[in-house]
Amino acid sequence: MPTEPAAPTTEQLPVRTAAVWAALDPLVSAGTALRVLDVGGGSGMFAVPLARLGHRVTVVDPSADALATLHRRAQTAGVRERVRGVQGDGDLLHEVLADDDGGYDLALCHSVLEVVDDPAVTLREIAGALCPGGRVSLAVANRAGAVLARAVAGQPAEALAVLGGRGVPGRPVRRRFSPGDLLALVDGAGLTAGTWRGVSVVADLLEAASGADPAAVRTLELALAEASPYREVAAGLHLLATRA
């Protein structure tokens, strides 16, 4: 059973993910061990802290190297027995998890929908892996934030390419989403969306600032995450959705 939620979900984790952890905290720190599915989380950035809270985490990832990193981190953290790595793709969860004996309480899908063949198919597969009332945590790149970041960096041509939904020349194509795009995907998967928030509203901007107090940046991040117009221009978007 989770007994000490504070350490893995606050100061020890990256400031840019503060809004995501703030949304997850009421679920993962409630004192009940959950079955968690982390799709595309092979390196263990979320899986290992969740396992430290007492949850059992299954990570599905196509990369054998990422899963090897996951296992090393879990071993180092002393939670190897609560972390399972499965090599496979998110759009084939019904095959990858065919031997599972029931649904998951919580699924994570962070920085995955940007690169899969079909985000709608992947999200439907994730929804199907949840138990009734189960939640999915979705984090995606925000189109508006990507446009502004490139503009501020002096890259107007790249900003226009991202604005038009085109890839940046010479780089792998990566989707960006608007809040409306994300909400439509959630609805299409038969899920009920909660409040969406911005991820890294200012953390990335302040990362290189000398003397920026991480605690103050974290506090500012949380203050801006659900506030308009700031959340609309964050680097990423996050929401929790529920399966009926």
Side-chain angles (χ1 to χ4, degrees):
M1 300 285 286
T3 57
E4 185 57 48
T9 57
T10 54
E11 291 81 2
Q12 297 181 7
L13 294 164
V15 172
R16 77 180 317 274
T17 61
V20 178
W21 281 106
L24 290 175
D25 256 353
L27 302 177
V28 303
S29 300
T32 301
L34 304 176
R35 291 190 68 202
V36 181
L37 172 65
D38 189 354
V39 178
S43 63
M45 181 182 297
F46 280 82
V48 171
L50 288 172
R52 288 179 59 204
L53 285 169
H55 307 297
R56 303 195 69 85
V57 188
T58 295
V59 179
V60 175
D61 197 286
S63 170
D65 288 342
L67 292 174
T69 299
L70 165 73
H71 293 153
R72 287 194 298 270
R73 285 183 172 175
Q75 186 69 40
T76 300
V79 294
R80 182 65 185 85
E81 74 284 356
R82 291 199 291 273
V83 175
R84 176 174 67 129
V86 180
Q87 190 169 8
D89 295 316
D91 57 357
L92 294 172
L93 288 179
H94 66 283
E95 297 179 4
V96 175
L97 302 175
D99 295 332
D100 274 14
D101 56 353
Y104 288 85
D105 304 298
L106 173 66
L108 310 183
C109 181
H110 297 164
S111 303
V112 170
L113 299 183
E114 294 90 336
V115 297
V116 296
D117 291 337
D118 189 330
V121 170
T122 298
L123 190 52
R124 285 198 297 269
E125 288 281 314
I126 293 171
L130 293 171
C131 64
R135 306 284 192 90
V136 56
S137 170
L138 292 168
V140 298
N142 181 21
R143 184 180 301 121
V147 170
L148 289 179
R150 282 158 178 77
V152 170
Q155 300 167 339
E158 292 191 7
L160 283 170
V162 174
L163 178 63
R166 305 186 304 276
V168 175
R171 299 183 187 177
V173 176
R174 186 169 183 256
R175 295 182 191 88
R176 278 88 177 180
F177 298 84
S178 69
D181 295 333
L182 185 58
L183 291 170
L185 280 171
V186 168
D187 185 64
L191 299 165
T192 300
T195 300
W196 68 270
R197 56 191 56 79
V199 176
S200 188
V201 180
V202 294
D204 289 348
L205 298 173
L206 294 175
E207 185 176 22
S210 60
D213 177 9
V217 175
R218 187 183 302 275
T219 299
L220 182 58
E221 274 293 318
L222 294 176
L224 299 178
E226 293 186 18
S228 294
Y230 312 104
R231 64 176 183 168
E232 281 82 355
V233 295
L237 306 171
H238 177 264
L239 65 76
L240 285 173
T242 306
R243 177 180 174 178

